Amino acid sequence: MIFLRYYCVRYVCRDHTQNNMKTWNEKSSTEEIRRRFDADVERFSNLETGQQSTVDAPLHLQLIVDAIACLHPQGGHVLDIGCGAGNYTLKLLEKMVPASCTLVDLSAPMLERAAERVGKVFLGAVKTVHGDIREVLLPEGRYDTIMAAAVLHHLRGDNDWDAVFGKLFRLLKPGGSLWISDLICQEQKAVQDMMFNGHYGNYLAALKDSSYKEAVFAYIDKEDSPRSLNFQLRLLEKVGFSSVEILHKHLCFASFGGIK
Ligand SMILES: C[S@@+](CC[C@H](N)C(=O)[O-])C[C@H]1O[C@@H](n2cnc3c(N)ncnc32)[C@H](O)[C@@H]1O
């Protein structure tokens, strides 16, 4: 019985990128992810170098802040989860003056850097919350805008995804919006192989060389468990968002959101 249960859990918990067949247990733990980002603050303090492996990183960033600015020109209360060194909040501050900025990150050094950078350009209230988005306590019905850039692909099983999307929905005010920019996968294995190993692999090799491509692939294999755009759009609707928007999709990266 115990053996059967163990086997089923291992079978179900496969990486949806289908680039590999790692189980969740073989992926980086939350602690390992935290340690890796603790040591990578400098790189993530610059969008150009921090997100080099992200196709169209500056465009995703621009589209997200433009969508927020046109939906919420008054600013309001902004929450940036997995804020890293604060790139998304900083870009948003170029377009608007929010009532407050709340920054959440697993990594204390990242969070400190984000608070320092945001505090230099924003004179209003900057609140920092150190911890895992699955666990941190935040006020429900408070935020006009939530940004989640390059962070949700660290979630693992369906329960994680359901719980976090539901939580983010509850944190928003009615009319508020959630914006996600992230690594995604395709739903069909053959299409995923074509997109990821083929096109994305070529993109990475052309950016630098094949050893860079292998390093990025190894890192994704170990650390990330992205879901498809379709899965996430369906989940946004399932947890209650009344409208969803796709801003951009190019190879394995997409920007999209939901309006409460
Ligand atoms: C790839 S960086 C992206 C940073 C920033 N959003 C950007 O786009 O520049 C991902 C960040 O998410 C944080 N992170 C990863 N898993 C997290 C979790 N479960 N809860 C909160 N933060 C998390 C990491 O510590 C890291 O700073």
Side-chain angles (χ1 to χ4, degrees):
M1 182 67 179
I2 289 171
F3 172 77
L4 184 64
R5 199 160 148 235
Y6 173 74
Y7 182 81
C8 290
V9 169
R10 283 182 68 86
Y11 177 75
V12 169
C13 297
R14 290 295 179 196
D15 178 350
H16 284 232
T17 62
Q18 297 168 333
N19 185 46
N20 62 81
M21 291 302 282
K22 271 197 170 47
T23 63
W24 299 150
N25 290 344
E26 293 166 318
K27 292 264 177 190
S28 299
S29 65
T30 305
E31 183 55 21
E32 286 169 326
I33 293 171
R34 182 187 67 71
R35 270 191 262 121
R36 196 188 68 79
F37 282 107
D38 279 357
D40 226 352
V41 175
E42 283 312 319
R43 187 159 70 88
F44 280 95
S45 300
N46 177 345
L47 191 79
E48 297 304 322
T49 54
Q51 309 262 356
Q52 219 177 18
S53 59
T54 300
V55 180
D56 293 346
L59 179 60
H60 288 287
L61 174 61
Q62 190 66 55
L63 287 170
I64 287 207
V65 302
D66 286 349
I68 293 169
C70 75
L71 277 174
H72 309 287
Q74 76 288 2
H77 298 286
V78 172
L79 172 64
D80 185 349
I81 66 163
C83 63
N87 291 326
Y88 269 69
T89 295
L90 284 166
K91 192 75 183 173
L92 189 66
L93 290 169
E94 289 175 10
K95 293 220 74 148
M96 59 162 62
V97 183
S100 72
C101 296
T102 301
L103 308 166
V104 177
D105 205 281
L106 196 57
S107 157
M110 280 286 191
L111 199 55
E112 272 167 37
R113 179 64 63 88
E116 181 193 315
R117 293 170 83 207
V118 169
K120 278 188 186 151
V121 294
F122 179 58
L123 301 176
V126 180
K127 184 172 170 28
T128 55
V129 181
H130 178 216
D132 186 330
I133 187 56
R134 289 165 286 209
E135 291 164 5
V136 292
L137 290 176
L138 294 162
E140 296 194 352
R142 160 93 175 158
Y143 302 99
D144 297 274
T145 298
I146 301 177
M147 297 182 287
V151 59
L152 298 179
H153 61 255
H154 293 117
L155 299 176
R156 300 296 188 227
D158 285 359
N159 289 349
D160 259 12
W161 287 85
D162 282 13
V164 169
F165 273 50
K167 179 175 185 171
L168 298 178
F169 179 78
R170 290 191 301 279
L171 297 179
L172 286 168
K173 287 178 183 163
S177 59
L178 163 66
W179 296 97
I180 297 168
S181 166
D182 218 337
L183 175 70
I184 53 161
C185 63
Q186 300 295 139
E187 304 220 325
Q188 296 295 316
K189 175 165 173 30
V191 180
Q192 172 64 12
D193 285 348
M194 173 278 290
M195 192 70 82
F196 190 86
N197 297 326
H199 287 276
Y200 184 49
N202 293 343
Y203 168 86
L204 292 172
L207 200 61
K208 287 196 182 164
D209 51 34
S210 60
S211 63
Y212 176 69
K213 174 187 103 170
E214 293 309 328
V216 174
F217 276 9
Y219 154 77
I220 290 175
D221 184 29
K222 176 71 182 145
E223 192 164 288
D224 302 341
S225 43
R227 293 299 175 92
S228 70
L229 180 55
N230 316 45
F231 170 88
Q232 295 185 64
L233 294 175
R234 283 192 296 264
L235 191 51
L236 287 173
E237 288 180 337
K238 182 178 143 192
V239 301
F241 285 93
S242 59
S243 163
V244 295
E245 284 282 0
I246 300 170
L247 300 177
H248 187 55
K249 185 213 184 265
H250 187 177
L251 304 185
C252 321
F253 296 89
S255 299
F256 53 98
I259 293 96
K260 182 167 178 177

